[in-house]
Amino acid sequence: MMKVVIIGGAGGIGSSAAFNLLSAQGTYEIVLVDTRPYMITSHVMDQENALALGATPDTVRGGTPEDTLDADVVVLSAAVPLRLNSSRSVFLADNASIVGQCLRPLKDSGFGGVVLMLTNPVDALMTWVHRQGWLPRHRLIGYTLNDSLRLRTGIAYALGVHPRNVDAWMIGEHGEGQVPLYSRITVGGEPVVLTSEQRAAAEEYADNWYARHVALDSGRTSTWTTGLGTARLIEAVATDSGTVLPASVVLDGEYGVHGASLGVPVEVGRDGVRRVVEWDLTPGELHGMQQAAVRVEAAVDDMDDVSAAR
Ligand SMILES: NC(=O)c1ccc[n+]([C@@H]2O[C@H](COP(=O)([O-])OP(=O)(O)OC[C@H]3O[C@@H](n4cnc5c(N)ncnc54)[C@H](O)[C@@H]3O)[C@@H](O)[C@H]2O)c1
């Protein structure tokens, strides 16, 4: 049984990730941790009744930050509430303070598991945590799958096919510096080159998804997609599958980037990132990666300057 502790487990994506794990194939001890204890109790009272319908003998309960110490996977989705915004980056300082607080028990604890960062802005927070120097980069994974799913949906609408049949990858920053890989699209396993109109339509869908969704001012994030995607990522860890998924990882020279965490194709296994898969990119795509790295590092530098000045 794999112990998965979800910090922020009373929230939208934390509770959705827990729910999706309950119907996944692996067997999980799921522990929800949050600063809202009544909301944790509400989710546990509800989800424990779903156990009888589960495929495997999972368990679910509320817990405390100390539960992270012997966890196999710590999912970090704790955050300040969503509000109208023009970029995920506006949450950096506030969410860094929460992330720092949540990870504190793990420092110097001999923690041997994997941290899966969902909190935004994910690339900057990953870079910031890694700079603190206590967690090897392969055990720190940032969730960025949604960007590729949005690109696949946009392409599917542009071509009039089902999104399931489309394979397409968005790498780079989970945000303004995203890099669509138009050179690697397949539909039904066959390579496809989009016309300029199809590409414009797919790009419009993927690039503006976040702004369109935030503008609804619903107070909720992409809870269903993210919960399902998170469960898939955890299944890849649990089964040591070696599945290649897009995820944010601190790069060490791959794609010409040193020290910034960006979305890249990652082979996922029991210890987290087995390896970063290096594809041949076009000069334009590589330039996009460089630009994204500069953006992310500048944001973290600014933050470090602010905390050093305090
Ligand atoms: N990486 C991605 O693709 C992706 C996708 C969706 C959402 N997100 C991000 O994930 C984060 C959470 O989203 P959400 O929809 O679940 O938000 P939410 O507001 O529903 O949940 C956040 C939860 O964190 C809890 N929390 C706050 N401070 C805490 C602390 N110190 N310790 C424990 N719990 C704490 C809150 O009580 C709340 O339950 C946001 O930053 C959001 O932008 C990322």
Side-chain angles (χ1 to χ4, degrees), residues 7-15 33-36 39 65 76-82 88 91 95 97-99 101-102 117-122 125 142-147 150 174 210 219-223 226:
I7 314 184
I13 57 174
S15 57
V33 176
D34 203 285
T35 44
R36 295 189 294 159
M39 192 60 105
L76 197 40
S77 62
V80 291
L82 183 70
R88 297 169 180 92
F91 298 109
N95 282 347
S97 158
I98 291 175
V99 164
Q101 186 188 329
C102 294
M117 177 82 76
L118 272 59
T119 305
N120 274 321
V122 64
L125 289 170
Y143 179 87
T144 61
L145 175 59
N146 293 359
D147 301 321
R150 285 167 198 158
H174 177 57
Y210 183 75
R220 60 178 290 277
T221 69
S222 52
T223 55
T226 311

CSV table of all heavy atoms in Angstrom, one decimal, residues 7-15 33-36 39 65 76-82 88 91 95 97-99 101-102 117-122 125 142-147 150 174 210 219-223 226, ligand 1:
chain,number,residue,atom,x,y,z
A,7,ILE,N,-1.6,17.7,1.1
A,7,ILE,CA,-1.7,18.9,1.9
A,7,ILE,C,-2.4,19.9,1.1
A,7,ILE,O,-2.0,20.3,0.0
A,7,ILE,CB,-0.3,19.4,2.3
A,7,ILE,CG1,0.6,18.3,2.8
A,7,ILE,CG2,-0.4,20.5,3.3
A,7,ILE,CD1,2.0,18.8,3.3
A,8,GLY,N,-3.5,20.4,1.6
A,8,GLY,CA,-4.5,21.2,0.8
A,8,GLY,C,-5.6,20.2,0.4
A,8,GLY,O,-6.4,20.5,-0.5
A,9,GLY,N,-5.7,19.1,1.2
A,9,GLY,CA,-6.6,18.1,0.8
A,9,GLY,C,-8.1,18.4,1.0
A,9,GLY,O,-9.0,17.7,0.5
A,10,ALA,N,-8.4,19.5,1.7
A,10,ALA,CA,-9.8,20.0,1.8
A,10,ALA,C,-10.2,20.8,0.6
A,10,ALA,O,-11.4,21.1,0.4
A,10,ALA,CB,-10.0,20.8,3.0
A,11,GLY,N,-9.2,21.2,-0.2
A,11,GLY,CA,-9.5,22.1,-1.4
A,11,GLY,C,-10.0,21.4,-2.6
A,11,GLY,O,-10.1,20.2,-2.6
A,12,GLY,N,-10.1,22.2,-3.7
A,12,GLY,CA,-10.7,21.6,-4.9
A,12,GLY,C,-9.9,20.5,-5.5
A,12,GLY,O,-10.4,19.4,-5.7
A,13,ILE,N,-8.6,20.8,-5.8
A,13,ILE,CA,-7.8,19.8,-6.5
A,13,ILE,C,-7.4,18.7,-5.6
A,13,ILE,O,-7.2,17.5,-6.0
A,13,ILE,CB,-6.7,20.4,-7.3
A,13,ILE,CG1,-5.7,21.2,-6.5
A,13,ILE,CG2,-7.2,21.2,-8.5
A,13,ILE,CD1,-4.5,21.7,-7.3
A,14,GLY,N,-7.1,19.1,-4.3
A,14,GLY,CA,-6.7,18.0,-3.3
A,14,GLY,C,-7.7,17.0,-3.1
A,14,GLY,O,-7.4,15.8,-3.2
A,15,SER,N,-9.0,17.4,-2.9
A,15,SER,CA,-10.0,16.4,-2.7
A,15,SER,C,-10.4,15.7,-4.0
A,15,SER,O,-10.7,14.5,-3.9
A,15,SER,CB,-11.3,17.1,-2.2
A,15,SER,OG,-11.7,18.1,-3.1
A,33,VAL,N,-4.7,16.5,4.6
A,33,VAL,CA,-4.2,17.5,5.6
A,33,VAL,C,-4.6,18.9,5.1
A,33,VAL,O,-4.4,19.2,3.9
A,33,VAL,CB,-2.6,17.4,5.8
A,33,VAL,CG1,-2.1,18.5,6.7
A,33,VAL,CG2,-2.2,16.0,6.2
A,34,ASP,N,-5.1,19.7,6.0
A,34,ASP,CA,-5.5,21.0,5.6
A,34,ASP,C,-5.7,21.9,6.9
A,34,ASP,O,-5.8,21.4,8.0
A,34,ASP,CB,-6.8,21.0,4.8
A,34,ASP,CG,-7.1,22.2,3.9
A,34,ASP,OD1,-7.4,23.3,4.4
A,34,ASP,OD2,-6.9,22.0,2.7
A,35,THR,N,-5.7,23.2,6.7
A,35,THR,CA,-6.0,24.1,7.8
A,35,THR,C,-7.5,24.2,8.1
A,35,THR,O,-7.9,25.0,8.9
A,35,THR,CB,-5.4,25.5,7.5
A,35,THR,OG1,-5.6,25.9,6.2
A,35,THR,CG2,-3.9,25.5,7.7
A,36,ARG,N,-8.3,23.5,7.3
A,36,ARG,CA,-9.8,23.6,7.5
A,36,ARG,C,-10.3,22.2,7.9
A,36,ARG,O,-10.7,21.4,7.1
A,36,ARG,CB,-10.5,24.0,6.2
A,36,ARG,CG,-10.1,25.4,5.7
A,36,ARG,CD,-11.0,25.8,4.6
A,36,ARG,NE,-10.7,25.1,3.4
A,36,ARG,CZ,-11.6,24.9,2.3
A,36,ARG,NH1,-12.8,25.5,2.4
A,36,ARG,NH2,-11.3,24.2,1.3
A,39,MET,N,-13.7,20.8,6.9
A,39,MET,CA,-13.9,20.5,5.5
A,39,MET,C,-13.2,19.1,5.3
A,39,MET,O,-13.7,18.3,4.5
A,39,MET,CB,-13.2,21.6,4.7
A,39,MET,CG,-13.6,21.4,3.2
A,39,MET,SD,-15.3,21.5,2.9
A,39,MET,CE,-15.5,23.1,2.2
A,65,PRO,N,0.4,17.4,9.6
A,65,PRO,CA,1.6,17.6,8.8
A,65,PRO,C,2.7,16.5,9.1
A,65,PRO,O,3.4,16.1,8.2
A,65,PRO,CB,2.1,19.0,9.2
A,65,PRO,CG,0.9,19.7,9.6
A,65,PRO,CD,0.0,18.7,10.2
A,76,LEU,N,1.2,18.5,-2.8
A,76,LEU,CA,1.2,19.8,-2.2
A,76,LEU,C,0.2,20.7,-3.1
A,76,LEU,O,0.6,21.1,-4.2
A,76,LEU,CB,2.6,20.4,-2.2
A,76,LEU,CG,2.9,21.6,-1.3
A,76,LEU,CD1,2.2,21.4,0.0
A,76,LEU,CD2,4.3,21.7,-1.1
A,77,SER,N,-1.0,20.9,-2.6
A,77,SER,CA,-1.9,21.8,-3.3
A,77,SER,C,-2.5,22.9,-2.4
A,77,SER,O,-3.4,23.5,-2.7
A,77,SER,CB,-3.1,20.9,-3.8
A,77,SER,OG,-3.8,20.3,-2.8
A,78,ALA,N,-1.8,23.1,-1.3
A,78,ALA,CA,-2.2,24.2,-0.3
A,78,ALA,C,-1.9,25.5,-1.0
A,78,ALA,O,-0.9,25.7,-1.6
A,78,ALA,CB,-1.4,24.0,1.0
A,79,ALA,N,-2.9,26.4,-0.9
A,79,ALA,CA,-2.7,27.7,-1.6
A,79,ALA,C,-3.7,28.7,-1.0
A,79,ALA,O,-4.6,28.3,-0.3
A,79,ALA,CB,-3.0,27.5,-3.0
A,80,VAL,N,-3.4,30.0,-1.3
A,80,VAL,CA,-4.4,31.0,-1.0
A,80,VAL,C,-5.6,30.8,-2.0
A,80,VAL,O,-5.4,30.3,-3.0
A,80,VAL,CB,-3.9,32.4,-1.1
A,80,VAL,CG1,-2.8,32.7,-0.1
A,80,VAL,CG2,-3.3,32.7,-2.5
A,81,PRO,N,-6.8,31.3,-1.6
A,81,PRO,CA,-8.0,31.1,-2.5
A,81,PRO,C,-7.7,31.8,-3.8
A,81,PRO,O,-7.1,32.9,-3.9
A,81,PRO,CB,-9.1,31.8,-1.7
A,81,PRO,CG,-8.7,31.9,-0.3
A,81,PRO,CD,-7.2,32.0,-0.3
A,82,LEU,N,-8.3,31.2,-4.9
A,82,LEU,CA,-8.3,31.8,-6.2
A,82,LEU,C,-9.0,33.1,-6.2
A,82,LEU,O,-10.1,33.2,-5.6
A,82,LEU,CB,-8.9,30.8,-7.2
A,82,LEU,CG,-8.8,31.2,-8.7
A,82,LEU,CD1,-7.4,31.2,-9.2
A,82,LEU,CD2,-9.7,30.3,-9.5
A,88,ARG,N,-0.9,33.5,-13.1
A,88,ARG,CA,-0.7,32.7,-11.9
A,88,ARG,C,0.4,33.3,-11.0
A,88,ARG,O,0.5,33.0,-9.9
A,88,ARG,CB,-0.3,31.3,-12.3
A,88,ARG,CG,-1.4,30.5,-13.1
A,88,ARG,CD,-0.9,29.2,-13.6
A,88,ARG,NE,-1.8,28.4,-14.4
A,88,ARG,CZ,-2.0,28.5,-15.7
A,88,ARG,NH1,-1.3,29.4,-16.4
A,88,ARG,NH2,-2.8,27.7,-16.3
A,91,PHE,N,0.4,35.0,-7.5
A,91,PHE,CA,0.2,34.2,-6.2
A,91,PHE,C,1.6,33.7,-5.6
A,91,PHE,O,1.6,33.0,-4.6
A,91,PHE,CB,-0.6,33.0,-6.4
A,91,PHE,CG,-2.0,33.3,-6.9
A,91,PHE,CD1,-2.5,33.1,-8.2
A,91,PHE,CD2,-2.9,33.9,-6.0
A,91,PHE,CE1,-3.8,33.4,-8.5
A,91,PHE,CE2,-4.2,34.2,-6.3
A,91,PHE,CZ,-4.6,34.0,-7.6
A,95,ASN,N,1.9,32.1,-1.9
A,95,ASN,CA,1.9,30.6,-1.9
A,95,ASN,C,3.3,30.1,-1.6
A,95,ASN,O,3.4,29.0,-1.0
A,95,ASN,CB,1.4,30.1,-3.3
A,95,ASN,CG,-0.1,30.1,-3.5
A,95,ASN,OD1,-0.8,30.3,-2.5
A,95,ASN,ND2,-0.6,30.0,-4.6
A,97,SER,N,5.0,31.2,0.8
A,97,SER,CA,5.0,31.2,2.3
A,97,SER,C,4.2,30.0,2.8
A,97,SER,O,4.7,29.3,3.7
A,97,SER,CB,4.3,32.6,2.7
A,97,SER,OG,3.8,32.4,3.9
A,98,ILE,N,3.1,29.6,2.1
A,98,ILE,CA,2.4,28.4,2.5
A,98,ILE,C,3.2,27.1,2.2
A,98,ILE,O,3.3,26.2,3.0
A,98,ILE,CB,1.0,28.4,1.7
A,98,ILE,CG1,0.1,29.5,2.3
A,98,ILE,CG2,0.4,27.0,1.9
A,98,ILE,CD1,-1.2,29.6,1.5
A,99,VAL,N,3.8,27.1,1.0
A,99,VAL,CA,4.6,25.9,0.6
A,99,VAL,C,5.7,25.7,1.6
A,99,VAL,O,6.0,24.6,2.0
A,99,VAL,CB,5.1,26.1,-0.9
A,99,VAL,CG1,6.2,25.1,-1.2
A,99,VAL,CG2,3.9,25.9,-1.8
A,101,GLN,N,6.0,26.6,4.7
A,101,GLN,CA,5.4,26.2,5.9
A,101,GLN,C,5.0,24.7,5.9
A,101,GLN,O,5.3,23.9,6.8
A,101,GLN,CB,4.2,27.0,6.2
A,101,GLN,CG,3.5,26.8,7.5
A,101,GLN,CD,2.2,27.6,7.6
A,101,GLN,OE1,2.0,28.6,6.9
A,101,GLN,NE2,1.2,27.1,8.3
A,102,CYS,N,4.5,24.3,4.7
A,102,CYS,CA,4.0,22.9,4.6
A,102,CYS,C,5.2,21.9,4.5
A,102,CYS,O,5.1,20.7,5.0
A,102,CYS,CB,3.1,22.7,3.4
A,102,CYS,SG,1.6,23.6,3.5
A,117,MET,N,4.3,18.8,-6.6
A,117,MET,CA,3.8,20.2,-6.4
A,117,MET,C,2.7,20.5,-7.4
A,117,MET,O,2.9,20.4,-8.6
A,117,MET,CB,5.0,21.1,-6.7
A,117,MET,CG,4.7,22.6,-6.6
A,117,MET,SD,4.7,23.2,-4.9
A,117,MET,CE,6.4,23.2,-4.6
A,118,LEU,N,1.6,20.9,-6.9
A,118,LEU,CA,0.5,21.4,-7.7
A,118,LEU,C,0.3,22.9,-7.6
A,118,LEU,O,-0.2,23.5,-8.5
A,118,LEU,CB,-0.8,20.7,-7.3
A,118,LEU,CG,-1.1,19.3,-8.0
A,118,LEU,CD1,-0.1,18.3,-7.7
A,118,LEU,CD2,-2.5,18.8,-7.5
A,119,THR,N,0.6,23.4,-6.4
A,119,THR,CA,0.4,24.8,-6.1
A,119,THR,C,1.1,25.7,-7.2
A,119,THR,O,2.2,25.5,-7.6
A,119,THR,CB,0.9,25.1,-4.7
A,119,THR,OG1,0.3,24.2,-3.8
A,119,THR,CG2,0.6,26.6,-4.3
A,120,ASN,N,0.3,26.8,-7.5
A,120,ASN,CA,0.8,27.7,-8.5
A,120,ASN,C,1.5,29.0,-7.9
A,120,ASN,O,1.1,29.3,-6.8
A,120,ASN,CB,-0.3,28.2,-9.5
A,120,ASN,CG,-0.5,27.2,-10.6
A,120,ASN,OD1,0.5,26.7,-11.2
A,120,ASN,ND2,-1.8,27.0,-11.0
A,121,PRO,N,2.4,29.6,-8.6
A,121,PRO,CA,2.9,29.3,-10.0
A,121,PRO,C,3.9,28.1,-9.8
A,121,PRO,O,5.0,28.3,-9.2
A,121,PRO,CB,3.6,30.5,-10.5
A,121,PRO,CG,3.9,31.3,-9.2
A,121,PRO,CD,3.0,30.9,-8.1
A,122,VAL,N,3.6,27.0,-10.4
A,122,VAL,CA,4.3,25.7,-10.1
A,122,VAL,C,5.8,25.8,-10.4
A,122,VAL,O,6.6,25.3,-9.6
A,122,VAL,CB,3.5,24.5,-10.8
A,122,VAL,CG1,3.5,24.6,-12.3
A,122,VAL,CG2,4.1,23.2,-10.3
A,125,LEU,N,7.7,28.0,-8.0
A,125,LEU,CA,7.7,27.3,-6.6
A,125,LEU,C,8.7,26.1,-6.6
A,125,LEU,O,9.4,25.9,-5.6
A,125,LEU,CB,6.3,26.9,-6.2
A,125,LEU,CG,5.4,28.1,-5.8
A,125,LEU,CD1,4.0,27.7,-5.6
A,125,LEU,CD2,5.9,28.8,-4.6
A,142,GLY,N,6.6,18.7,-10.6
A,142,GLY,CA,5.6,19.8,-10.7
A,142,GLY,C,4.5,19.3,-11.7
A,142,GLY,O,4.8,18.8,-12.8
A,143,TYR,N,3.2,19.5,-11.4
A,143,TYR,CA,2.1,19.0,-12.2
A,143,TYR,C,1.9,20.0,-13.3
A,143,TYR,O,1.4,21.2,-13.0
A,143,TYR,CB,0.9,18.8,-11.4
A,143,TYR,CG,-0.3,18.3,-12.2
A,143,TYR,CD1,-0.5,17.0,-12.5
A,143,TYR,CD2,-1.2,19.3,-12.8
A,143,TYR,CE1,-1.5,16.6,-13.3
A,143,TYR,CE2,-2.2,18.9,-13.6
A,143,TYR,CZ,-2.4,17.5,-13.8
A,143,TYR,OH,-3.4,17.1,-14.6
A,144,THR,N,2.0,19.6,-14.6
A,144,THR,CA,1.8,20.6,-15.7
A,144,THR,C,1.0,19.9,-16.9
A,144,THR,O,1.0,20.4,-18.0
A,144,THR,CB,3.1,21.1,-16.3
A,144,THR,OG1,3.9,20.0,-16.8
A,144,THR,CG2,3.9,21.9,-15.3
A,145,LEU,N,0.5,18.7,-16.6
A,145,LEU,CA,-0.2,17.9,-17.6
A,145,LEU,C,-1.3,18.7,-18.3
A,145,LEU,O,-1.6,18.5,-19.5
A,145,LEU,CB,-0.7,16.6,-17.0
A,145,LEU,CG,-1.5,15.6,-17.8
A,145,LEU,CD1,-0.7,15.2,-19.1
A,145,LEU,CD2,-1.9,14.4,-17.0
A,146,ASN,N,-2.0,19.5,-17.6
A,146,ASN,CA,-3.2,20.2,-18.1
A,146,ASN,C,-2.9,21.0,-19.4
A,146,ASN,O,-3.7,21.1,-20.3
A,146,ASN,CB,-3.8,21.1,-17.1
A,146,ASN,CG,-4.4,20.4,-15.9
A,146,ASN,OD1,-4.4,19.2,-15.9
A,146,ASN,ND2,-4.9,21.2,-15.0
A,147,ASP,N,-1.7,21.6,-19.4
A,147,ASP,CA,-1.3,22.4,-20.6
A,147,ASP,C,-1.4,21.5,-21.9
A,147,ASP,O,-1.9,22.0,-22.9
A,147,ASP,CB,0.1,23.0,-20.4
A,147,ASP,CG,0.1,23.9,-19.2
A,147,ASP,OD1,-0.9,24.6,-18.9
A,147,ASP,OD2,1.1,23.8,-18.5
A,150,ARG,N,-5.0,20.7,-22.7
A,150,ARG,CA,-5.7,21.8,-23.4
A,150,ARG,C,-5.3,21.9,-24.8
A,150,ARG,O,-6.1,22.2,-25.7
A,150,ARG,CB,-5.4,23.1,-22.6
A,150,ARG,CG,-6.2,23.1,-21.3
A,150,ARG,CD,-5.8,24.2,-20.3
A,150,ARG,NE,-6.3,23.8,-19.0
A,150,ARG,CZ,-5.9,24.2,-17.8
A,150,ARG,NH1,-4.8,25.0,-17.8
A,150,ARG,NH2,-6.4,23.8,-16.7
A,174,HIS,N,4.3,26.6,-17.1
A,174,HIS,CA,2.9,26.5,-16.9
A,174,HIS,C,2.3,27.9,-16.7
A,174,HIS,O,2.2,28.4,-15.6
A,174,HIS,CB,2.7,25.6,-15.6
A,174,HIS,CG,1.2,25.5,-15.2
A,174,HIS,ND1,0.3,24.9,-16.1
A,174,HIS,CD2,0.6,25.8,-14.1
A,174,HIS,CE1,-0.9,24.9,-15.5
A,174,HIS,NE2,-0.8,25.4,-14.3
A,210,TYR,N,-6.9,29.6,-19.6
A,210,TYR,CA,-6.8,30.0,-18.2
A,210,TYR,C,-7.5,31.3,-18.0
A,210,TYR,O,-8.3,31.5,-17.1
A,210,TYR,CB,-5.3,30.1,-17.8
A,210,TYR,CG,-5.2,30.5,-16.3
A,210,TYR,CD1,-5.4,29.6,-15.3
A,210,TYR,CD2,-4.8,31.8,-16.0
A,210,TYR,CE1,-5.2,30.0,-14.0
A,210,TYR,CE2,-4.7,32.2,-14.7
A,210,TYR,CZ,-4.9,31.3,-13.7
A,210,TYR,OH,-4.7,31.6,-12.3
A,219,GLY,N,-14.4,31.0,-8.5
A,219,GLY,CA,-13.7,30.6,-7.3
A,219,GLY,C,-13.1,29.2,-7.3
A,219,GLY,O,-12.4,28.8,-6.4
A,220,ARG,N,-13.3,28.5,-8.4
A,220,ARG,CA,-12.7,27.1,-8.5
A,220,ARG,C,-11.7,27.0,-9.6
A,220,ARG,O,-11.8,27.7,-10.6
A,220,ARG,CB,-13.8,26.1,-8.6
A,220,ARG,CG,-14.7,26.2,-9.8
A,220,ARG,CD,-15.7,25.0,-9.9
A,220,ARG,NE,-15.1,23.8,-10.1
A,220,ARG,CZ,-14.8,23.3,-11.4
A,220,ARG,NH1,-15.0,24.0,-12.4
A,220,ARG,NH2,-14.2,22.2,-11.5
A,221,THR,N,-10.7,26.1,-9.4
A,221,THR,CA,-9.7,25.9,-10.5
A,221,THR,C,-10.2,24.7,-11.3
A,221,THR,O,-11.3,24.2,-11.1
A,221,THR,CB,-8.3,25.7,-9.8
A,221,THR,OG1,-8.3,24.5,-9.1
A,221,THR,CG2,-8.0,26.8,-8.9
A,222,SER,N,-9.2,24.1,-12.0
A,222,SER,CA,-9.6,22.9,-12.9
A,222,SER,C,-9.5,21.7,-12.1
A,222,SER,O,-8.7,20.8,-12.2
A,222,SER,CB,-8.5,22.9,-14.0
A,222,SER,OG,-7.2,22.9,-13.4
A,223,THR,N,-10.5,21.6,-11.2
A,223,THR,CA,-10.5,20.5,-10.2
A,223,THR,C,-10.6,19.1,-10.8
A,223,THR,O,-9.9,18.2,-10.3
A,223,THR,CB,-11.5,20.7,-9.1
A,223,THR,OG1,-12.8,20.8,-9.8
A,223,THR,CG2,-11.3,22.0,-8.3
A,226,THR,N,-7.4,18.2,-13.0
A,226,THR,CA,-6.2,18.1,-12.2
A,226,THR,C,-6.2,17.0,-11.3
A,226,THR,O,-5.2,16.3,-11.1
A,226,THR,CB,-6.0,19.5,-11.5
A,226,THR,OG1,-6.1,20.5,-12.4
A,226,THR,CG2,-4.6,19.5,-10.8
B,1,LIG,N1,-0.4,22.8,-11.6
B,1,LIG,C1,-1.7,22.8,-12.1
B,1,LIG,O1,-1.9,22.5,-13.2
B,1,LIG,C2,-2.8,23.3,-11.3
B,1,LIG,C3,-4.1,23.1,-11.7
B,1,LIG,C4,-5.2,23.6,-10.8
B,1,LIG,C5,-4.9,24.3,-9.7
B,1,LIG,N2,-3.6,24.5,-9.4
B,1,LIG,C6,-3.2,25.3,-8.2
B,1,LIG,O2,-3.4,24.5,-7.1
B,1,LIG,C7,-3.6,25.3,-5.9
B,1,LIG,C8,-4.9,24.8,-5.2
B,1,LIG,O3,-6.0,24.9,-6.0
B,1,LIG,P1,-7.4,24.5,-5.4
B,1,LIG,O4,-8.4,24.7,-6.5
B,1,LIG,O5,-7.4,23.2,-4.7
B,1,LIG,O6,-7.6,25.7,-4.4
B,1,LIG,P2,-8.5,25.6,-3.0
B,1,LIG,O7,-8.6,27.1,-2.6
B,1,LIG,O8,-9.8,24.9,-3.3
B,1,LIG,O9,-7.7,24.7,-2.0
B,1,LIG,C9,-6.5,25.2,-1.4
B,1,LIG,C10,-6.5,24.5,0.0
B,1,LIG,O10,-5.3,24.8,0.7
B,1,LIG,C11,-5.6,24.9,2.0
B,1,LIG,N3,-4.5,25.6,2.8
B,1,LIG,C12,-4.1,26.9,2.7
B,1,LIG,N4,-3.0,27.1,3.5
B,1,LIG,C13,-2.7,25.9,4.0
B,1,LIG,C14,-1.7,25.4,4.9
B,1,LIG,N5,-0.8,26.2,5.4
B,1,LIG,N6,-1.7,24.1,5.2
B,1,LIG,C15,-2.6,23.2,4.7
B,1,LIG,N7,-3.6,23.6,3.9
B,1,LIG,C16,-3.6,24.9,3.6
B,1,LIG,C17,-6.9,25.7,2.1
B,1,LIG,O11,-7.6,25.6,3.3
B,1,LIG,C18,-7.6,25.0,0.9
B,1,LIG,O12,-8.4,24.0,1.4
B,1,LIG,C19,-3.7,26.7,-6.5
B,1,LIG,O13,-2.4,27.3,-6.3
B,1,LIG,C20,-4.0,26.5,-7.9
B,1,LIG,O14,-3.7,27.6,-8.7
B,1,LIG,C21,-2.5,24.1,-10.1
